Amino acid sequence: GCFASNSAQQARAGTAEPALAPALPNFVFILADDQAWNGLSVRMIAGDDASKSRTTHTPNTQKLADRGVTFSQAYAAHPKCECSRASIICGRTTTSLNATSKSVRTWAAPVADSLANSLKRLRPEYHAAHFGKWQWSQTPASMGYDLSDGITQNETGDSKDPADPKQSFGITKRAHAFMEQQVKDGHPFYMQLSYYAVHPKAQALAETLKKYEGLGGGRSGDRAPMAAMTEDLDTCVGKIMKQLQALGIAKNTYIIYMSDNGGRTGVLNGGKGNLGEGGLRVPLIVAGPGVRADTYCTIPVISYDILATVLDLAAPKCAPAKGIEGGSWRDLLKDGDQGTIKRSIDRLVWHQPVELDHPQSAIRKGDFKLLYEWDTHAVQLFNLALDRGEKHDLSKENPELTAKLQSELIAHVRAGLGDSAIAELESGVKQEGRKRSAPQPKGI
């Protein structure tokens, strides 16, 4: 069945014979805030220096990449944090979940089907923790976390403690204490660390900031503090890795490192808040038991896959709850590009109805991505394999594919949000919370 045997429990407690079931794996999910696709000194594409940061030094995430798989085409579920994080927790697109803006609280999925609740239902031995950013009215406890910082309602995580800029080191200390307790008690665990870094305003340790003195100011004048804040976050990643080693559980722990949404890259089109590749594509590195070391995977994946992946790694033959739209990365972690991923829907879908001049949705199937404006019905089609900068609109050259993808996208959003929401989108009526916060993709 889907529940762990006594022998598995005994094995974790160290009282079973070696031949019995191995210990259940632990999971550490590190979620950066607003980190652009090339925000690390780790190349997201093999041999491509444009896919890494030229200014920031992140040696610990590089060590993680050396031990695991770096995903070259990893996507956030949404270009802003709240909706993206809701999608991760529930394993669904934001439209199917009805988490289309930060003000929406009536999600179309029961809290019982959240990632931590689902994991604990399948494997009751697990304990779960969440530390850091949590901005919804639903509590972490309702979503299955045994220990958390509660509803922080802190968008930026700014800290007045010079020894704990952006609260990064405090989150890391609480993580260590939780892991130590689980090892002592013999529990496997799932832990999500929702760091506030690297969300502006930048904060960093004074000694880290000194390393970046003289770095040009950039458009916002804070390149040095941003680079230092990124390195401090990387230092925390290193601390977590060392703690896993010290606790003797490193070989049985999966580490997932990802960002909640993208940002300005200088390479990809757009940035945070819109559906260009810059706003959606994010760094993703996974290491752990059975994961191929020093490997790149170019197969597109998305953050709402994480729920299905964690459940598959912890309880391999147990299907996720009905309505889960993500797929498991198990094969990709083992075989890289030779692996496959299966989702209940064969498409990636994004929806951004607020904070843009025109409500927008996007769909990706294979190498093609279509962007659609609801009120103007403007449409663009890009071949991302040839045009990651989204500079060449192919919609007029490929009218049949354009029509097919547009129809599938509209049907997907309609199924999730309903006819009245579609009518509102098409009417051009200003959506709640709508304001222009970031430039849109060109021509959209």
Side-chain angles (χ1 to χ4, degrees), residues 119-154:
L119 177 62
K120 290 162 70 176
R121 187 164 59 247
L122 294 176
R123 297 293 196 196
E125 305 95 320
Y126 274 94
H127 281 187
H130 182 281
F131 300 113
K133 186 169 182 170
W134 186 283
Q135 291 178 266
W136 308 299
S137 55
Q138 301 97 323
T139 65
S142 74
M143 294 288 185
Y145 295 103
D146 302 290
L147 189 65
S148 76
D149 293 338
I151 300 174
T152 61
Q153 295 294 11
N154 189 338

Side-chain angles (χ1 to χ4, degrees), residues 213 274 306 308 425:
E213 284 178 354
N274 65 59
I306 290 174
L425 288 164

Side-chain angles (χ1 to χ4, degrees), residues 53 84 109 201 250 258 275 287 299:
S53 172
S84 174
K201 171 183 170 187
M258 198 176 201
L275 301 185
I299 295 170

